[in-house]
PDB file of all heavy atoms in Angstrom:
ATOM      1  N   THR A  25     150.657  90.930  73.669  1.00  0.00           N
ATOM      2  CA  THR A  25     151.823  89.959  73.767  1.00  0.00           C
ATOM      3  C   THR A  25     151.435  88.629  73.314  1.00  0.00           C
ATOM      4  O   THR A  25     152.290  87.902  72.706  1.00  0.00           O
ATOM      5  CB  THR A  25     152.371  89.988  75.132  1.00  0.00           C
ATOM      6  OG1 THR A  25     151.497  89.590  76.126  1.00  0.00           O
ATOM      7  CG2 THR A  25     153.146  91.309  75.484  1.00  0.00           C
ATOM      8  N   ASP A  26     150.194  88.123  73.563  1.00  0.00           N
ATOM      9  CA  ASP A  26     149.809  86.901  73.058  1.00  0.00           C
ATOM     10  C   ASP A  26     149.626  86.851  71.468  1.00  0.00           C
ATOM     11  O   ASP A  26     149.974  85.808  70.870  1.00  0.00           O
ATOM     12  CB  ASP A  26     148.331  86.439  73.720  1.00  0.00           C
ATOM     13  CG  ASP A  26     148.402  86.329  75.133  1.00  0.00           C
ATOM     14  OD1 ASP A  26     149.517  85.885  75.881  1.00  0.00           O
ATOM     15  OD2 ASP A  26     147.418  86.659  75.826  1.00  0.00           O
ATOM     16  N   VAL A  27     149.116  87.925  71.039  1.00  0.00           N
ATOM     17  CA  VAL A  27     148.915  88.059  69.542  1.00  0.00           C
ATOM     18  C   VAL A  27     150.359  88.043  68.914  1.00  0.00           C
ATOM     19  O   VAL A  27     150.541  87.349  67.897  1.00  0.00           O
ATOM     20  CB  VAL A  27     148.160  89.398  69.180  1.00  0.00           C
ATOM     21  CG1 VAL A  27     148.091  89.570  67.597  1.00  0.00           C
ATOM     22  CG2 VAL A  27     146.736  89.211  69.730  1.00  0.00           C
ATOM     23  N   LEU A  28     151.262  88.743  69.482  1.00  0.00           N
ATOM     24  CA  LEU A  28     152.649  88.762  68.862  1.00  0.00           C
ATOM     25  C   LEU A  28     153.275  87.357  69.027  1.00  0.00           C
ATOM     26  O   LEU A  28     153.943  86.862  67.988  1.00  0.00           O
ATOM     27  CB  LEU A  28     153.479  89.744  69.564  1.00  0.00           C
ATOM     28  CG  LEU A  28     153.117  91.293  69.289  1.00  0.00           C
ATOM     29  CD1 LEU A  28     153.980  92.179  70.104  1.00  0.00           C
ATOM     30  CD2 LEU A  28     153.128  91.540  67.825  1.00  0.00           C
ATOM     31  N   ALA A  29     153.084  86.773  70.187  1.00  0.00           N
ATOM     32  CA  ALA A  29     153.483  85.327  70.280  1.00  0.00           C
ATOM     33  C   ALA A  29     152.844  84.365  69.333  1.00  0.00           C
ATOM     34  O   ALA A  29     153.587  83.414  68.667  1.00  0.00           O
ATOM     35  CB  ALA A  29     153.332  84.848  71.655  1.00  0.00           C
ATOM     36  N   ALA A  30     151.592  84.515  69.061  1.00  0.00           N
ATOM     37  CA  ALA A  30     150.860  83.700  68.030  1.00  0.00           C
ATOM     38  C   ALA A  30     151.453  83.950  66.657  1.00  0.00           C
ATOM     39  O   ALA A  30     151.639  82.958  65.935  1.00  0.00           O
ATOM     40  CB  ALA A  30     149.345  84.094  68.051  1.00  0.00           C
ATOM     41  N   ALA A  31     151.711  85.218  66.364  1.00  0.00           N
ATOM     42  CA  ALA A  31     152.306  85.458  64.977  1.00  0.00           C
ATOM     43  C   ALA A  31     153.622  84.848  64.884  1.00  0.00           C
ATOM     44  O   ALA A  31     154.051  84.333  63.849  1.00  0.00           O
ATOM     45  CB  ALA A  31     152.390  86.985  64.678  1.00  0.00           C
ATOM     46  N   THR A  32     154.519  84.841  65.992  1.00  0.00           N
ATOM     47  CA  THR A  32     155.769  84.268  65.911  1.00  0.00           C
ATOM     48  C   THR A  32     155.585  82.811  65.728  1.00  0.00           C
ATOM     49  O   THR A  32     156.337  82.193  64.885  1.00  0.00           O
ATOM     50  CB  THR A  32     156.533  84.618  67.130  1.00  0.00           C
ATOM     51  OG1 THR A  32     156.642  86.066  67.235  1.00  0.00           O
ATOM     52  CG2 THR A  32     157.925  83.862  67.258  1.00  0.00           C
ATOM     53  N   TRP A  33     154.650  82.218  66.485  1.00  0.00           N
ATOM     54  CA  TRP A  33     154.425  80.781  66.341  1.00  0.00           C
ATOM     55  C   TRP A  33     154.019  80.313  65.005  1.00  0.00           C
ATOM     56  O   TRP A  33     154.534  79.383  64.434  1.00  0.00           O
ATOM     57  CB  TRP A  33     153.323  80.292  67.274  1.00  0.00           C
ATOM     58  CG  TRP A  33     153.069  78.786  67.445  1.00  0.00           C
ATOM     59  CD1 TRP A  33     153.697  78.055  68.377  1.00  0.00           C
ATOM     60  CD2 TRP A  33     152.484  77.907  66.579  1.00  0.00           C
ATOM     61  NE1 TRP A  33     153.295  76.761  68.141  1.00  0.00           N
ATOM     62  CE2 TRP A  33     152.507  76.571  67.024  1.00  0.00           C
ATOM     63  CE3 TRP A  33     151.768  78.105  65.405  1.00  0.00           C
ATOM     64  CZ2 TRP A  33     152.044  75.529  66.365  1.00  0.00           C
ATOM     65  CZ3 TRP A  33     151.164  76.935  64.679  1.00  0.00           C
ATOM     66  CH2 TRP A  33     151.327  75.765  65.115  1.00  0.00           C
ATOM     67  N   VAL A  34     153.205  81.125  64.347  1.00  0.00           N
ATOM     68  CA  VAL A  34     152.782  80.884  62.947  1.00  0.00           C
ATOM     69  C   VAL A  34     153.974  80.975  62.044  1.00  0.00           C
ATOM     70  O   VAL A  34     154.210  80.163  61.136  1.00  0.00           O
ATOM     71  CB  VAL A  34     151.668  81.911  62.478  1.00  0.00           C
ATOM     72  CG1 VAL A  34     151.400  81.708  61.051  1.00  0.00           C
ATOM     73  CG2 VAL A  34     150.351  81.527  63.284  1.00  0.00           C
ATOM     74  N   LYS A  35     154.877  81.978  62.249  1.00  0.00           N
ATOM     75  CA  LYS A  35     155.934  82.070  61.296  1.00  0.00           C
ATOM     76  C   LYS A  35     156.995  80.970  61.433  1.00  0.00           C
ATOM     77  O   LYS A  35     157.592  80.707  60.471  1.00  0.00           O
ATOM     78  CB  LYS A  35     156.628  83.531  61.526  1.00  0.00           C
ATOM     79  CG  LYS A  35     155.819  84.682  60.956  1.00  0.00           C
ATOM     80  CD  LYS A  35     156.583  85.975  60.956  1.00  0.00           C
ATOM     81  CE  LYS A  35     156.672  86.610  62.327  1.00  0.00           C
ATOM     82  NZ  LYS A  35     157.210  88.020  62.255  1.00  0.00           N
ATOM     83  N   THR A  36     157.131  80.485  62.651  1.00  0.00           N
ATOM     84  CA  THR A  36     158.143  79.476  62.920  1.00  0.00           C
ATOM     85  C   THR A  36     157.559  78.036  62.708  1.00  0.00           C
ATOM     86  O   THR A  36     158.341  77.073  62.656  1.00  0.00           O
ATOM     87  CB  THR A  36     158.706  79.512  64.351  1.00  0.00           C
ATOM     88  OG1 THR A  36     157.642  79.390  65.296  1.00  0.00           O
ATOM     89  CG2 THR A  36     159.418  80.859  64.475  1.00  0.00           C
ATOM     90  N   HIS A  37     156.294  77.869  62.653  1.00  0.00           N
ATOM     91  CA  HIS A  37     155.640  76.540  62.547  1.00  0.00           C
ATOM     92  C   HIS A  37     154.896  76.202  61.290  1.00  0.00           C
ATOM     93  O   HIS A  37     154.285  75.202  61.035  1.00  0.00           O
ATOM     94  CB  HIS A  37     154.706  76.254  63.705  1.00  0.00           C
ATOM     95  CG  HIS A  37     155.488  76.051  65.011  1.00  0.00           C
ATOM     96  ND1 HIS A  37     155.808  77.067  65.757  1.00  0.00           N
ATOM     97  CD2 HIS A  37     155.892  74.932  65.523  1.00  0.00           C
ATOM     98  CE1 HIS A  37     156.504  76.615  66.813  1.00  0.00           C
ATOM     99  NE2 HIS A  37     156.537  75.394  66.756  1.00  0.00           N
ATOM    100  N   THR A  38     154.848  77.268  60.302  1.00  0.00           N
ATOM    101  CA  THR A  38     154.142  77.033  59.043  1.00  0.00           C
ATOM    102  C   THR A  38     155.073  77.567  57.909  1.00  0.00           C
ATOM    103  O   THR A  38     155.889  78.325  58.154  1.00  0.00           O
ATOM    104  CB  THR A  38     152.880  77.947  58.975  1.00  0.00           C
ATOM    105  OG1 THR A  38     153.113  79.253  59.052  1.00  0.00           O
ATOM    106  CG2 THR A  38     151.950  77.469  60.137  1.00  0.00           C
ATOM    107  N   ALA A  39     154.780  77.044  56.752  1.00  0.00           N
ATOM    108  CA  ALA A  39     155.487  77.540  55.563  1.00  0.00           C
ATOM    109  C   ALA A  39     154.769  78.800  55.088  1.00  0.00           C
ATOM    110  O   ALA A  39     153.783  78.996  55.385  1.00  0.00           O
ATOM    111  CB  ALA A  39     155.387  76.390  54.511  1.00  0.00           C
ATOM    112  N   ALA A  40     155.629  79.647  54.385  1.00  0.00           N
ATOM    113  CA  ALA A  40     155.168  80.875  53.917  1.00  0.00           C
ATOM    114  C   ALA A  40     154.029  80.682  53.023  1.00  0.00           C
ATOM    115  O   ALA A  40     153.161  81.552  52.864  1.00  0.00           O
ATOM    116  CB  ALA A  40     156.243  81.645  53.230  1.00  0.00           C
ATOM    117  N   SER A  41     153.835  79.586  52.308  1.00  0.00           N
ATOM    118  CA  SER A  41     152.671  79.294  51.395  1.00  0.00           C
ATOM    119  C   SER A  41     151.543  78.831  52.159  1.00  0.00           C
ATOM    120  O   SER A  41     150.408  78.767  51.449  1.00  0.00           O
ATOM    121  CB  SER A  41     153.106  78.370  50.335  1.00  0.00           C
ATOM    122  OG  SER A  41     153.512  77.125  51.038  1.00  0.00           O
ATOM    123  N   GLU A  42     151.436  78.539  53.380  1.00  0.00           N
ATOM    124  CA  GLU A  42     150.297  78.051  54.071  1.00  0.00           C
ATOM    125  C   GLU A  42     149.348  79.273  54.193  1.00  0.00           C
ATOM    126  O   GLU A  42     149.524  80.277  54.290  1.00  0.00           O
ATOM    127  CB  GLU A  42     150.679  77.489  55.434  1.00  0.00           C
ATOM    128  CG  GLU A  42     151.506  76.165  55.251  1.00  0.00           C
ATOM    129  CD  GLU A  42     151.569  75.499  56.586  1.00  0.00           C
ATOM    130  OE1 GLU A  42     150.568  75.067  57.081  1.00  0.00           O
ATOM    131  OE2 GLU A  42     152.805  75.110  56.907  1.00  0.00           O
ATOM    132  N   ARG A  43     147.947  78.707  54.336  1.00  0.00           N
ATOM    133  CA  ARG A  43     146.806  79.612  54.423  1.00  0.00           C
ATOM    134  C   ARG A  43     146.246  79.497  55.846  1.00  0.00           C
ATOM    135  O   ARG A  43     146.114  78.385  56.438  1.00  0.00           O
ATOM    136  CB  ARG A  43     145.837  79.374  53.419  1.00  0.00           C
ATOM    137  CG  ARG A  43     146.369  79.685  52.048  1.00  0.00           C
ATOM    138  CD  ARG A  43     145.370  79.419  51.037  1.00  0.00           C
ATOM    139  NE  ARG A  43     145.912  79.826  49.669  1.00  0.00           N
ATOM    140  CZ  ARG A  43     145.080  79.955  48.617  1.00  0.00           C
ATOM    141  NH1 ARG A  43     143.941  79.702  48.621  1.00  0.00           N
ATOM    142  NH2 ARG A  43     145.700  80.239  47.521  1.00  0.00           N
ATOM    143  N   LEU A  44     145.851  80.549  56.471  1.00  0.00           N
ATOM    144  CA  LEU A  44     145.243  80.578  57.736  1.00  0.00           C
ATOM    145  C   LEU A  44     143.731  80.959  57.609  1.00  0.00           C
ATOM    146  O   LEU A  44     143.258  81.607  56.802  1.00  0.00           O
ATOM    147  CB  LEU A  44     145.891  81.706  58.679  1.00  0.00           C
ATOM    148  CG  LEU A  44     147.496  81.826  58.520  1.00  0.00           C
ATOM    149  CD1 LEU A  44     147.823  83.028  59.319  1.00  0.00           C
ATOM    150  CD2 LEU A  44     147.971  80.512  59.070  1.00  0.00           C
ATOM    151  N   VAL A  45     142.977  80.336  58.546  1.00  0.00           N
ATOM    152  CA  VAL A  45     141.649  80.716  58.821  1.00  0.00           C
ATOM    153  C   VAL A  45     141.530  81.301  60.255  1.00  0.00           C
ATOM    154  O   VAL A  45     141.956  80.669  61.083  1.00  0.00           O
ATOM    155  CB  VAL A  45     140.646  79.503  58.640  1.00  0.00           C
ATOM    156  CG1 VAL A  45     139.283  79.895  59.283  1.00  0.00           C
ATOM    157  CG2 VAL A  45     140.443  79.270  57.199  1.00  0.00           C
ATOM    158  N   CYS A  46     141.102  82.444  60.435  1.00  0.00           N
ATOM    159  CA  CYS A  46     140.975  83.074  61.721  1.00  0.00           C
ATOM    160  C   CYS A  46     140.085  84.267  61.698  1.00  0.00           C
ATOM    161  O   CYS A  46     139.694  84.831  60.666  1.00  0.00           O
ATOM    162  CB  CYS A  46     142.448  83.558  62.204  1.00  0.00           C
ATOM    163  SG  CYS A  46     143.305  84.518  60.948  1.00  0.00           S
ATOM    164  N   ASN A  47     139.638  84.677  62.926  1.00  0.00           N
ATOM    165  CA  ASN A  47     138.684  85.730  63.016  1.00  0.00           C
ATOM    166  C   ASN A  47     139.354  87.080  62.720  1.00  0.00           C
ATOM    167  O   ASN A  47     138.732  87.954  62.176  1.00  0.00           O
ATOM    168  CB  ASN A  47     138.013  85.748  64.432  1.00  0.00           C
ATOM    169  CG  ASN A  47     136.762  86.579  64.475  1.00  0.00           C
ATOM    170  OD1 ASN A  47     136.290  87.011  63.536  1.00  0.00           O
ATOM    171  ND2 ASN A  47     136.355  86.824  65.669  1.00  0.00           N
ATOM    172  N   LEU A  48     140.558  87.148  63.164  1.00  0.00           N
ATOM    173  CA  LEU A  48     141.329  88.430  62.875  1.00  0.00           C
ATOM    174  C   LEU A  48     142.253  88.324  61.667  1.00  0.00           C
ATOM    175  O   LEU A  48     143.466  88.631  61.707  1.00  0.00           O
ATOM    176  CB  LEU A  48     142.178  88.825  64.132  1.00  0.00           C
ATOM    177  CG  LEU A  48     141.293  88.998  65.487  1.00  0.00           C
ATOM    178  CD1 LEU A  48     142.229  89.106  66.642  1.00  0.00           C
ATOM    179  CD2 LEU A  48     140.387  90.161  65.369  1.00  0.00           C
ATOM    180  N   ASP A  49     141.639  87.961  60.577  1.00  0.00           N
ATOM    181  CA  ASP A  49     142.458  87.677  59.409  1.00  0.00           C
ATOM    182  C   ASP A  49     143.412  88.825  58.810  1.00  0.00           C
ATOM    183  O   ASP A  49     144.593  88.571  58.555  1.00  0.00           O
ATOM    184  CB  ASP A  49     141.511  87.112  58.199  1.00  0.00           C
ATOM    185  CG  ASP A  49     140.391  87.984  57.934  1.00  0.00           C
ATOM    186  OD1 ASP A  49     139.662  88.371  58.890  1.00  0.00           O
ATOM    187  OD2 ASP A  49     140.098  88.286  56.886  1.00  0.00           O
ATOM    188  N   PRO A  50     142.912  89.988  58.763  1.00  0.00           N
ATOM    189  CA  PRO A  50     143.870  91.112  58.418  1.00  0.00           C
ATOM    190  C   PRO A  50     145.058  91.300  59.248  1.00  0.00           C
ATOM    191  O   PRO A  50     146.250  91.508  58.801  1.00  0.00           O
ATOM    192  CB  PRO A  50     143.081  92.380  58.360  1.00  0.00           C
ATOM    193  CG  PRO A  50     141.603  91.952  58.552  1.00  0.00           C
ATOM    194  CD  PRO A  50     141.644  90.557  59.092  1.00  0.00           C
ATOM    195  N   LEU A  51     144.810  91.071  60.518  1.00  0.00           N
ATOM    196  CA  LEU A  51     145.928  91.269  61.485  1.00  0.00           C
ATOM    197  C   LEU A  51     146.967  90.196  61.320  1.00  0.00           C
ATOM    198  O   LEU A  51     148.199  90.423  61.258  1.00  0.00           O
ATOM    199  CB  LEU A  51     145.311  91.202  62.969  1.00  0.00           C
ATOM    200  CG  LEU A  51     146.430  91.283  64.149  1.00  0.00           C
ATOM    201  CD1 LEU A  51     147.117  92.675  64.032  1.00  0.00           C
ATOM    202  CD2 LEU A  51     145.801  90.998  65.421  1.00  0.00           C
TER     203      LEU A  51
END
């Protein structure tokens, strides 16, 4: 549920063109 909340946060607080750096990059 934290991972899903994190994905929602990313989708609502970043532009679609932004790039992420993370340990679970494929996810």
Side-chain angles (χ1 to χ4, degrees):
T25 54
D26 297 328
V27 173
L28 293 177
T32 300
W33 189 97
V34 169
K35 288 192 285 188
T36 58
H37 291 83
T38 64
S41 61
E42 290 193 56
R43 293 180 178 191
L44 313 174
V45 163
C46 49
N47 196 11
L48 301 173
D49 49 313
L51 178 66

